[in-house]
Amino acid sequence: MRNRIVSSLFALTCLAFSPSAWTQERGFGRASTETQPDKDVTPGPGWKTCPRCTNNKQLQAAYKTYNVEGHAFDPHDLSGVWGNNGIELDVKTVPPFTPLGERMFQATRSEIPTTNSKDGMLICDPLGFPRWFAYNYGFQFVMLPDRVLQFFEWGHTWRDIWTDGRKLPDDPPQPRWLGYAVGRWEGDTFLVEGSGYDDRSWISEDRRNRIRGFPHTDEMRTIERYRRTSYGTLEAELTITDPKIFTRPWTTKGKVELRPNAELWEYFCVPSESDEYNKRLIEAARQSK
Amino acid sequence: MKLRRALVAWLLALAVVIPMSSLVGFAHHSRAHYGTEESTTKGIVVEYKWRNPHVYVVWAVTDQSGKTTQWVGEMASLTSMIADGMTKDSLKMGDEITVVSFPSKITGSTEALIKKITKADGTVVVDNSRVPNLRQP
């Protein structure tokens, strides 16, 4: 009996603190606060909202308005605006580093404790891929006959995922921040292979303590798997392989929700704005060391 | 004995689950430098920057001796603040505001993370839900 009570307490506790319990239907994330408006804030009639401009109440309403639950869908059509913040890399399963990987990882350590001073994002370097998988403020797939375009709100940029049968380049003339990507269907799963990445980007910030970033070399390869399991849900999986950095592949699995009444808005990383921000917050912290 | 073990497991689960639940609203700039002590001040808006990467407000607080200090209050990105009900017109220079914030831990700093801003007429300008980020390691 006691065990049953304790088990029930455990289950109730987990449920109470799970993000999905904060909303009645889908787990969109943040709890409501006093000032969050009930209705979408848009530029005017006919205009849509942005993925991050909506709160839980507005998302719940949009899902009802657009009949997302139970809506018919084609599993080979990934069109739409998805998520609002990317899919966090699974830091619980970071593979062991190689000796070089460990050295490169330690070299990313911030010079100050308050934020990562070595993060290229602070000076508006492109996030690169797969950092744009993990952090994007929402993305949009556009299906074309010969390619799938993936647009990202963060940085207001895109990548081409070629589906015309071409192979990844063996030795690309130029490493690219977003690499080279080719895609194909395996059943209802859209499989994307990527390589040719510029090694100046990080795989991601290390969000365990936010004072380092996960490095990669130009030998990194990625495999993404996207599967639309309902009109409103896209399952996504990313596997990163870089034998110079990690002793085994690193896989992250996640789920993103459709933003049914959203359009990607403009989020440029503006050097002058970042410079001002860095001066105020980062330089002040550096000087106070 | 079994009961004690189960209770320990439950408490451990709490220790894991509660911090995880606070990670939902990640921003891309660390907020580790802000303290956890809440501060409430009244002042006048000097500047309101409706800008990325993070919106901020500067307000002037005058103490009993007549000395004025300008505080800089950080919020989140434009789009996140829109979701919380703010717009480019939410504050203007000269507005009298009451600010609940978490000041920086850095000695001498007058930076703070905004929790709540209320105007003199009682209007709540923002009740920022990103404050749980303070619990980040």
Side-chain angles (χ1 to χ4, degrees):
Chain A
M1 184 60 187
R2 277 180 176 175
N3 282 352
R4 218 178 294 163
I5 293 169
V6 171
S7 302
S8 303
L9 271 174
F10 175 78
L12 280 171
T13 305
C14 289
L15 188 64
F17 286 99
S18 67
S20 58
W22 294 348
T23 53
Q24 287 177 348
E25 293 160 7
R26 284 174 180 265
F28 289 119
R30 295 181 296 111
S32 296
T33 64
E34 192 177 344
T35 54
Q36 288 175 0
D38 292 328
K39 291 183 180 169
D40 289 345
V41 177
T42 74
W47 292 89
K48 294 183 177 182
T49 186
C50 81
R52 286 172 70 86
C53 292
T54 46
N55 57 51
N56 288 339
K57 289 178 281 188
Q58 295 163 351
L59 283 165
Q60 299 285 4
Y63 263 59
K64 280 187 184 143
T65 303
Y66 294 93
N67 299 313
V68 170
E69 301 298 343
H71 197 293
F73 70 102
D74 172 1
H76 286 215
D77 181 6
L78 307 182
S79 304
V81 175
W82 297 96
N84 78 347
N85 209 19
I87 299 162
E88 283 280 326
L89 296 191
D90 186 357
V91 289
K92 296 190 296 298
T93 60
V94 181
F97 288 112
T98 62
L100 172 66
E102 181 65 31
R103 282 200 302 278
M104 287 176 66
F105 178 62
Q106 293 304 337
T108 66
R109 189 186 171 91
S110 178
E111 300 153 305
I112 53 173
T114 51
T115 197
N116 198 317
S117 58
K118 292 182 184 168
D119 189 346
M121 183 176 67
L122 295 181
I123 52 170
C124 295
D125 277 359
L127 297 184
F129 203 82
R131 195 167 179 184
W132 250 302
F133 175 93
Y135 189 65
N136 54 43
Y137 281 20
F139 69 85
Q140 181 169 15
F141 275 134
V142 176
M143 316 293 287
L144 295 177
D146 61 346
R147 72 191 107 159
V148 174
L149 300 176
Q150 188 178 21
F151 291 89
F152 305 100
E153 180 167 305
W154 205 104
H156 214 67
T157 191
W158 83 99
R159 68 173 178 149
D160 297 283
I161 302 167
W162 292 97
T163 54
D164 57 359
R166 72 181 67 183
K167 305 292 179 202
L168 285 176
D170 288 331
D171 184 19
Q174 177 201 345
R176 303 200 301 207
W177 293 92
L178 283 158
Y180 298 77
V182 295
R184 66 177 187 276
W185 287 96
E186 283 190 349
D188 288 341
T189 300
F190 185 55
L191 189 147
V192 183
E193 293 175 283
S195 67
Y197 296 108
D198 190 314
D199 61 8
R200 286 175 293 176
S201 65
W202 287 353
I203 289 172
S204 170
E205 178 188 37
D206 180 356
R207 294 211 158 177
R208 291 172 297 187
N209 51 26
R210 313 191 85 184
I211 55 172
R212 293 186 188 86
F214 295 113
H216 67 85
T217 69
D218 57 7
E219 289 185 23
M220 176 177 70
R221 296 177 83 90
T222 55
I223 294 177
E224 298 147 77
R225 289 184 171 84
Y226 297 95
R227 191 162 167 266
R228 192 169 194 168
T229 55
S230 73
Y231 181 68
T233 308
L234 188 65
E235 288 181 356
E237 182 184 303
L238 167 72
T239 298
I240 299 161
T241 306
D242 189 343
K244 281 188 171 174
I245 300 292
F246 299 113
T247 54
R248 59 170 185 257
W250 181 12
T251 296
T252 291
K253 293 180 182 178
K255 204 182 272 185
V256 278
E257 310 284 358
L258 185 73
R259 265 26 194 188
N261 187 37
E263 65 178 60
L264 295 184
W265 275 24
E266 179 184 280
Y267 190 110
F268 286 112
C269 188
V270 181
S272 59
E273 289 179 353
S274 286
D275 191 45
E276 184 183 335
Y277 181 87
N278 294 341
K279 273 180 190 151
R280 279 195 308 108
L281 287 162
I282 298 176
E283 288 309 317
R286 203 192 296 272
Q287 284 162 19
S288 73
K289 269 178 72 183
Chain B
M1 192 62 184
K2 274 184 182 172
L3 179 64
R4 190 179 296 170
R5 272 192 206 150
L7 277 169
V8 168
W10 177 56
L11 288 170
L12 279 173
L14 268 180
V16 171
V17 172
I18 292 175
M20 286 299 287
S21 66
S22 70
L23 298 182
V24 174
F26 263 128
H28 63 262
H29 292 90
S30 171
R31 283 143 180 215
H33 52 299
Y34 293 118
T36 50
E37 293 294 317
E38 222 175 85
S39 158
T40 300
T41 53
K42 280 188 181 181
I44 305 292
V45 174
V46 175
E47 194 179 357
Y48 173 47
K49 285 276 188 186
W50 183 247
R51 257 188 202 174
N52 284 320
H54 291 177
V55 174
Y56 68 90
V57 59
V58 181
W59 74 106
V61 179
T62 305
D63 66 18
Q64 288 176 337
S65 70
K67 185 188 164 198
T68 299
T69 305
Q70 287 200 358
W71 283 86
V72 181
E74 182 176 1
M75 288 172 256
S77 67
L78 296 181
T79 50
S80 299
M81 298 320 296
I82 288 172
D84 278 356
M86 285 186 84
T87 70
K88 61 182 171 54
D89 302 316
S90 292
L91 291 168
K92 59 180 191 303
M93 274 179 66
D95 280 348
E96 220 181 300
I97 54 172
T98 300
V99 181
V100 182
S101 68
F102 295 92
S104 168
K105 290 184 285 193
I106 299 166
T107 310
S109 170
T110 52
E111 306 279 345
L113 178 65
I114 297 292
K115 180 182 179 185
K116 192 170 184 177
I117 300 175
T118 310
K119 284 188 181 176
D121 65 1
T123 307
V124 179
V125 176
V126 68
D127 171 10
N128 196 317
S129 55
R130 277 157 200 81
V131 169
N133 281 353
L134 283 167
R135 298 193 204 113
Q136 282 172 212

